[in-house]
Amino acid sequence: MYVWLGIDVDCQLQEIKEKAIRIEEQLKFSNSNFTLPLHISLKMSFSIDNSVFDEVVADMDDFFNQLKGFTIEIEQLQCLDNICWIKMKQNLLLNDIHDRLNALLKDKYGVPLHEYDCDYLFHTTLFMDSDVEKVTHAYNLVKDVDIPQSLAANRFVIGTSVSGKLGTFSIYKLYLK
């Protein structure tokens, strides 16, 4: 079982999401980034044995229930090679949450750190494709959409997938703050 942990910011980014969905369809992207709500991942998705899934969820219940809502500042809309995302400003609280999740999952369940978890950049992905020109074109079509300067982090989620492949995750549990 693959698990993903994040902050649901979908309802706060509706204007850019609606335009991005139309662009994604128009340009015929091979994979959609809109099978989950727009979100900020709290760490890279990870694989666990099905036998410990309920225990991991119980630990995430404890973890997320202790959090209070907070604000995340947006840095910029950015296109880097094959990905277009909304990059978040450095945030000490987000870094702390990320580090504590990694430590808990590594120490208790043996979940190794993914290389991206070592220097994690918090973001919300709009487009990702192996065709860099397609992603650049999509970025140019969406770059003038107004996005908020900050987002409320008050909807934490657990997602799951059998395969761990892009487009196969679904929301398992939602925590409202």
Side-chain angles (χ1 to χ4, degrees):
M1 170 83 63
Y2 288 84
V3 178
W4 157 79
L5 307 169
I7 303 168
D8 177 348
V9 294
D10 195 77
C11 62
Q12 300 172 72
L13 296 169
Q14 280 301 299
E15 182 180 350
I16 197 164
K17 177 184 179 179
E18 289 169 8
K19 184 162 188 176
I21 288 172
R22 289 192 303 273
I23 291 167
E24 184 183 79
E25 291 170 355
Q26 172 191 351
L27 297 181
K28 297 180 177 31
F29 276 79
S30 55
N31 290 305
S32 176
N33 283 299
F34 302 105
T35 56
L36 283 174
L38 287 179
H39 63 274
I40 302 166
S41 293
L42 292 171
K43 70 169 279 57
M44 292 299 295
S45 60
F46 55 93
S47 177
I48 57 167
D49 190 88
N50 289 349
S51 65
V52 297
F53 177 72
D54 290 337
E55 191 177 344
V56 169
V57 170
D59 282 338
M60 294 304 101
D61 283 346
D62 291 341
F63 188 90
F64 288 130
N65 285 329
Q66 291 176 24
L67 293 179
K68 295 183 183 335
F70 58 97
T71 300
I72 301 168
E73 301 294 322
I74 291 178
E75 185 172 320
Q76 65 181 344
L77 183 64
Q78 188 175 51
C79 187
L80 299 168
D81 298 322
N82 71 328
I83 190 167
C84 172
W85 63 23
I86 300 170
K87 184 178 177 188
M88 306 304 152
K89 289 183 181 178
Q90 285 291 345
N91 181 309
L92 294 177
L93 182 54
L94 267 178
N95 288 339
D96 180 61
I97 291 168
H98 173 77
D99 292 346
R100 288 189 296 141
L101 283 170
N102 279 322
L104 169 66
L105 292 164
K106 183 178 181 209
D107 294 347
K108 192 163 182 182
Y109 301 102
V111 174
L113 282 179
H114 187 281
E115 65 180 295
Y116 293 133
D117 278 320
C118 296
D119 187 23
Y120 203 75
L121 297 174
F122 294 98
H123 63 276
T124 297
T125 303
L126 294 176
F127 306 106
M128 187 166 53
D129 195 272
S130 59
D131 185 337
V132 174
E133 287 182 30
K134 188 184 291 185
V135 173
T136 302
H137 183 60
Y139 166 76
N140 286 325
L141 292 171
V142 79
K143 70 181 180 183
D144 294 326
V145 174
D146 286 330
I147 54 176
Q149 294 180 345
S150 63
L151 300 169
N154 57 10
R155 295 173 57 92
F156 299 89
V157 291
I158 297 175
T160 58
S161 168
V162 173
S163 69
K165 293 182 182 177
L166 184 66
T168 66
F169 281 85
S170 60
I171 297 295
Y172 179 79
K173 195 161 188 180
L174 173 67
Y175 304 85
L176 301 174
K177 298 295 167 181

